[in-house]
Amino acid sequence: MPSAAFPSQITKHYELRQTIGSGGFAKVKLAVHLLTGEKVAIKVMNKKELGSDLPRVQREIDAMKNLSQQHVCQLYHVIRQMNAYSWSWRCVAVYAPGGELFDYIVAKDKLKEEEARVFFRQIVSAVAYIHDRGYAHRDLKPENLLLDDDQNIKLIDFGLVAKPRGGMAYHLETCCGSPAYAAPELISGFPYHGNEVDLWSMGVLLYALLCGFLPFDDDNTCKLYKLIQKGEYEVPDWLSPGSAKLLSQLLQVNPKRRVTIKQLLNNEWMMKGYAAPVRWTSRIKKDKPDPDVLLELASYYDHPLDTMMKKVLEWKYDEVTAMYFLLCMKKSKGQLPELLPRY
Ligand SMILES: O=C(Nc1ccc2c(c1)CCNCC2)c1ccc(Br)cc1
């Protein structure tokens, strides 16, 4: 156990604040990065809650290290504490002051089509990006979609992500995710394709955004599964014909008839009021670090610029990676010249 004399890696770089989320096997705490003053979220996972599900933690961390996009929650720093008897992981990531999209929908009852479209375009952007990188999320639901301080979507919780060997063509055998958002083929136990499962969950998500309740809902899980496998749901009269049509394209029981993520990018409903298809490629260029931030880091660590560039490009998700991303955040808020203390 770290003592006051030997501060843990966490307290060396972060000031822990209140718990902002907990559930399942993880707890999320708000924290402040001491050097930049930026707020971060720290997801604490330990063996006690996870049981032997260490692979799930490893999957989530590996996925988050490979995913960097404007609508995917950015991982900053991974701190693991292992001893002979146990282990714990702390993932430092973007803090989302807007909280969960779930709470936003509950507070507003349901969203107008125009507002739902803004969010859904960002969700499609995030999913198109992770699918292109060969990942299926498999647990898409409003609780795993957070809102940042500009009310932009940040996708989290890659604990159930699947990166089948050879991209998305392989069937995934495991059943997972949250029942109300689970695709028929997933709950039937048949082999399924992760990307098709994600599209079904996005249909349930869009329905929840537009209606304020779920298309398939029953307290009894078996009855819920039967409803999902039948694929019949209520179409409230406030839904526009365009919304109803898109929902029918997403909530197709036969995954081969379901709309694909690429078709969604310029789908008629998605394009209403917009001049361009959904932009899904990443605006974050990890292979070309920001020169202003590099300069600030090189000055702080007292390294030549090319040495600092090499250290950043190792992407170790240590304090250097955290400093890089947090200084990028400060630059985006016009605060970069605020010099870091020099030792
Ligand atoms: O910011 C996060 N979560 C969050 C959840 C709920 C709320 C917030 C953040 C904002 C604080 N008020 C309560 C509402 C968050 C960020 C990254 C990760 Br990984 C996991 C959670």
Side-chain angles (χ1 to χ4, degrees):
M1 278 298 282
S3 65
F6 300 98
S8 75
Q9 275 297 305
I10 285 280
T11 51
K12 188 174 154 190
H13 299 287
Y14 305 95
E15 179 197 297
L16 287 175
R17 299 272 177 84
Q18 73 272 26
T19 297
I20 51 177
S22 64
F25 64 92
K27 180 165 65 174
V28 181
K29 294 185 85 68
L30 170 63
V32 175
H33 183 249
L34 296 172
L35 272 175
T36 61
E38 288 293 315
K39 287 180 179 174
V40 296
I42 300 187
K43 186 172 181 179
V44 182
M45 297 172 272
N46 50 45
K47 185 166 187 177
K48 217 174 30 276
E49 278 78 22
L50 256 170
S52 60
D53 203 353
L54 181 59
R56 176 175 175 151
V57 176
Q58 205 55 61
R59 242 191 335 262
E60 175 160 20
I61 292 170
D62 292 346
M64 288 188 85
K65 285 182 175 178
N66 281 309
L67 298 169
S68 248
Q69 197 250 20
Q70 51 277 16
H71 296 304
V72 174
C73 184
Q74 180 63 55
L75 178 68
Y76 291 151
H77 196 168
V78 178
I79 296 166
R80 65 177 191 171
Q81 274 158 329
M82 313 280 272
N83 61 32
Y85 320 102
S86 188
W87 48 265
S88 77
W89 296 80
R90 286 154 175 77
C91 290
V92 184
V94 167
Y95 170 62
E100 297 176 3
L101 180 61
F102 177 86
D103 295 323
Y104 186 86
I105 302 168
V106 168
K108 297 197 107 177
D109 178 30
K110 60 179 177 293
L111 306 188
K112 288 189 172 46
E113 186 176 318
E114 293 69 28
E115 187 174 19
R117 183 174 290 112
V118 173
F119 285 134
F120 199 66
R121 281 176 65 99
Q122 294 184 9
I123 295 164
V124 168
S125 172
V127 176
Y129 169 76
I130 68 168
H131 283 187
D132 180 72
R133 302 279 294 172
Y135 289 94
H137 188 281
R138 298 198 298 173
D139 196 15
L140 292 174
K141 56 187 178 182
E143 295 88 328
N144 287 338
L145 292 158
L146 302 179
L147 298 172
D148 69 9
D149 41 11
D150 295 322
Q151 284 224 329
N152 290 313
I153 289 282
K154 298 288 182 190
L155 176 61
I156 61 164
D157 203 339
F158 294 86
L160 294 174
V161 80
K163 188 171 175 51
R165 289 169 303 291
M168 309 304 292
Y170 285 73
H171 289 158
L172 306 163
E173 306 307 322
T174 48
C175 185
C176 54
S178 311
Y181 294 82
E185 67 271 20
L186 187 144
I187 58 179
S188 65
F190 297 140
Y192 62 84
H193 287 260
N195 52 346
E196 292 165 350
V197 158
D198 281 347
L199 271 292
W200 174 277
S201 303
M202 288 164 76
V204 178
L205 242 170
L206 180 60
Y207 189 100
L209 286 171
L210 292 167
C211 303
F213 51 86
L214 293 167
F216 314 104
D217 200 2
D218 195 296
D219 293 338
N220 178 301
T221 306
C222 289
K223 288 183 181 169
L224 172 62
Y225 283 1
K226 285 190 172 34
L227 291 174
I228 293 170
Q229 283 164 332
K230 271 182 80 174
E232 291 165 9
Y233 54 89
E234 181 202 342
V235 180
D237 54 18
W238 62 74
L239 283 184
S240 71
S243 296
K245 181 180 175 191
L246 176 56
L247 287 168
S248 70
Q249 292 169 320
L250 287 160
L251 297 174
Q252 278 290 324
V253 170
N254 178 346
K256 298 309 168 200
R257 294 167 55 93
R258 209 170 290 158
V259 67
T260 66
I261 195 73
K262 290 296 184 198
Q263 289 167 341
L264 269 187
L265 296 176
N266 58 3
N267 164 279
E268 187 184 352
W269 186 89
M270 298 289 288
M271 291 294 289
K272 192 173 176 187
Y274 287 82
V278 174
R279 283 187 54 195
W280 59 273
T281 54
S282 178
R283 293 205 288 264
I284 299 158
K285 302 300 174 200
K286 281 177 68 176
D287 56 336
K288 295 188 184 64
D290 181 291
D292 297 330
V293 171
L294 271 181
L295 213 55
E296 188 70 18
L297 282 172
S299 165
Y300 174 73
Y301 284 110
D302 197 16
H303 284 324
L305 208 50
D306 59 342
T307 308
M308 200 67 245
M309 166 81 91
K310 286 193 185 91
K311 280 185 177 296
V312 168
L313 288 173
E314 286 177 298
W315 299 113
K316 285 182 178 174
Y317 289 87
D318 57 4
E319 65 269 22
V320 171
T321 304
M323 279 276 270
Y324 174 78
F325 280 123
L326 288 164
L327 287 177
C328 285
M329 177 73 81
K330 286 192 92 63
K331 179 180 178 183
S332 72
K333 295 190 282 189
Q335 297 166 357
L336 187 58
E338 196 173 304
L339 293 180
L340 293 162
R342 297 288 187 281
Y343 293 115

